[in-house]
Amino acid sequence: MDINSLLKPFQHFGVNLGLSRIIKLLANLGNPHHQVPIIHVGGTNGKGSVCAYLSSILTEAGYRTGCYTSPHLVHWTERITINKQQISSEEFSQLILQVQGAILPDDEYPTQFEVITAAAWLYFAQAQVDVAVVEVGLGGRLDATNVCDQPLVSVITSISREHWQQLGPTVTDIAREKAGIIKPGCPVVVGQLPPDAETVMVSRAEELQSLYITPQPARQISPGWAEYKTIKNSQIIKYPLPLHGQIQLNNSALALAAVEILQNSGWEISQSAIVNGMSKTQWPARMQWVSWNKQKLLIDGAHNPAAAQVLRDYLDSLHPGNLTWIMGMLTTKEHRDIFQALVRSHDQLYLVPVPDHSSANPVELAKIAREVCPELSVCETYPDLSSGLAAAFNHTDNQVVLCGSLYLIGHFFTIL
């Protein structure tokens, strides 16, 4: 039986935040999460790249390192890795069957994310990993990953207004939910936050007597290289930075601050493990350059206003000229704010649907885009990504950028 068929019965439960179902399910499975030391990574943007840096460095240091992230781009198996190697489809299917078998007749049925999260804990426990880097799915306090009382370190990368339908309407509400991964007496590494969010985080850390660390962003020292000043003794670490964009100076510093906490707790992570781990880090679909029909294309999963601004800043540092955008977005996203961050007068915009998800209507998106930027030189809709790509490349000499949804980028990889 393939993974999609196995997971289908859980699909219709959608997003249903709460810990009671996952706690019961894990108890039925023998509490595998109690056997796995974890680094817990939450935040609005930057979670994935911080997980990728940590997984790569810890693997390089010789530790058997699990990593659990979401969503996937093409295959479910991307979500669960050990030493950066994806779980096999067969192992994934067996784990899902095992989890399914642990749902008792009187139990409340778990969501799809809870089933996959339980499978990840089970896999890491069975493989006896030394450590697992675990990315929060949505929010923090009530997320299915938030079942460990004593993470080695928690990381909160950034906070902006996303998923407000589930987490609350203001940045303060969202910060309160994300602060839910801070645990009593466990250190937390926090990125640069808006003042309202920072107040919530500091107060929560003080309440729980948790060491609160906000590292300074790393400094770029040459193209593709950065330096980080350690918190404990101001030692300078110089390292390669293969992921693009100014934001990676922040994200890499958060990962290195977490590594420093592990080192101070007795974990053996050498300078060479840091440098080699950083150099081998990969995180697809985030400011990634690819080739499409022998032409250069930038793809990025930017799907909220903060990520869109980061993408625009990166492009402005490279291309002072006009850009050609191919975009699709989900209905739940802040369409107007994303367009405001990205598009400029005389840019070209080609809008397409996001297949197999609750896609915003491209015609409606075109209307919003024209209101935001009346001087777009092109604003057209296409029935699918392939025709949108063809039209964009046929009618422009601009740099072409594909963005708006990680699911759209995943679809691009399937047709690539």
Side-chain angles (χ1 to χ4, degrees):
M1 222 175 159
D2 76 342
I3 296 168
N4 285 322
S5 311
L6 287 169
L7 290 172
K8 200 162 182 152
F10 304 97
Q11 219 165 4
H12 65 279
F13 293 99
V15 174
N16 185 2
L17 296 176
L19 297 179
S20 58
R21 292 175 302 275
I22 186 75
I23 287 169
K24 181 76 169 69
L25 185 54
L26 289 168
N28 295 349
L29 288 162
N31 291 316
H33 57 304
H34 291 164
Q35 301 165 44
V36 182
I38 79 155
I39 300 169
H40 204 186
V41 183
T44 304
N45 294 313
K47 299 188 293 290
S49 53
V50 169
C51 288
Y53 290 131
L54 287 168
S55 170
S56 195
I57 290 167
L58 288 162
T59 299
E60 201 64 28
Y63 291 106
R64 191 161 169 75
T65 306
C67 188
Y68 176 53
T69 56
S70 59
H72 60 278
L73 292 168
V74 181
H75 299 295
W76 290 100
T77 53
E78 295 165 34
R79 295 181 180 222
I80 302 175
T81 64
I82 293 179
N83 288 1
K84 304 201 286 182
Q85 297 300 307
Q86 287 178 33
I87 187 173
S88 71
S89 296
E90 294 73 26
E91 284 174 306
F92 200 126
S93 299
Q94 285 306 312
L95 287 164
I96 298 297
L97 288 169
Q98 207 175 330
V99 172
Q100 216 167 5
I103 304 166
L104 303 177
D106 293 339
D107 291 346
E108 188 186 347
Y109 229 57
T111 66
Q112 191 178 73
F113 184 70
E114 288 164 351
V115 168
I116 299 163
T117 303
W121 289 122
L122 205 51
Y123 185 58
F124 296 149
Q126 289 170 357
Q128 298 182 316
V129 298
D130 298 312
V131 59
V133 181
V134 176
E135 180 188 1
V136 170
L138 197 159
R141 183 175 66 92
L142 297 175
D143 184 73
T145 63
N146 196 30
V147 289
C148 286
D149 297 331
Q150 287 193 299
L152 300 167
V153 55
S154 302
V155 182
I156 296 165
T157 57
S158 66
I159 290 177
S160 60
R161 192 171 175 271
E162 195 196 23
H163 297 301
W164 58 269
Q165 300 94 332
Q166 288 95 4
L167 305 179
T170 68
V171 164
T172 305
D173 294 322
I174 292 165
R176 215 171 278 122
E177 291 301 313
K178 294 192 186 291
I181 69 168
I182 304 175
K183 298 294 160 58
C186 299
V188 58
V189 175
V190 184
Q192 314 283 312
L193 303 183
D196 291 356
E198 187 175 28
T199 303
V200 171
M201 289 292 162
V202 170
S203 153
R204 185 67 179 146
E206 284 174 356
E207 188 187 322
L208 298 174
Q209 299 183 310
S210 301
L211 175 67
Y212 185 97
I213 291 171
T214 303
Q216 285 301 307
R219 193 172 72 86
Q220 186 170 345
I221 49 175
S222 64
W225 278 81
E227 65 177 25
Y228 165 79
K229 187 189 282 189
T230 62
I231 296 147
K232 194 173 181 184
N233 53 15
S234 298
Q235 182 192 350
I236 297 293
I237 299 174
K238 297 182 180 180
Y239 57 93
L241 200 52
L243 305 185
H244 298 296
Q246 190 74 10
I247 196 67
Q248 295 307 335
L249 296 172
N250 291 47
N251 294 344
S252 60
L254 294 172
L256 290 178
V259 165
E260 196 179 339
I261 286 168
L262 294 181
Q263 289 172 320
N264 294 337
S265 306
W267 290 67
E268 293 184 12
I269 306 166
S270 66
Q271 184 105 341
S272 66
I274 291 171
V275 171
N276 294 337
M278 280 294 190
S279 73
K280 294 175 184 176
T281 302
Q282 293 180 313
W283 191 235
R286 283 73 171 182
M287 296 194 210
Q288 181 183 357
W289 291 96
V290 297
S291 177
W292 171 260
N293 289 348
K294 300 184 180 168
Q295 290 167 294
K296 205 169 154 196
L297 172 67
L298 180 66
I299 57 172
D300 189 71
H303 56 275
N304 58 44
Q309 191 57 58
V310 165
L311 172 59
R312 183 74 218 197
D313 292 345
Y314 172 58
L315 285 158
D316 285 345
S317 73
L318 300 179
H319 294 280
N322 294 116
L323 295 161
T324 293
W325 302 93
I326 306 165
M327 292 178 68
M329 290 188 250
L330 299 187
T331 51
T332 51
K333 300 302 173 183
E334 314 271 343
H335 308 136
R336 187 174 296 274
D337 293 347
I338 291 170
F339 284 135
Q340 273 169 341
L342 291 178
V343 297
R344 302 284 182 271
S345 297
H346 311 300
D347 280 358
Q348 299 180 346
L349 179 61
Y350 296 83
L351 292 155
V352 299
V354 181
D356 305 321
H357 289 88
S358 59
S359 178
N361 183 333
V363 175
E364 293 296 315
L365 290 178
K367 190 175 159 214
I368 297 167
R370 284 195 199 95
E371 287 167 7
V372 168
C373 190
E375 281 126 35
L376 283 166
S377 69
V378 172
C379 183
E380 295 176 358
T381 64
Y382 285 83
D384 55 58
L385 179 56
S386 297
S387 56
L389 281 162
F393 278 109
N394 285 342
H395 297 112
T396 190
D397 295 322
N398 299 346
Q399 174 57 56
V400 180
V401 186
L402 171 63
C403 67
S405 166
L406 274 171
Y407 297 114
L408 184 64
I409 304 295
H411 175 60
F412 170 78
F413 282 132
T414 63
I415 62 175
L416 189 63

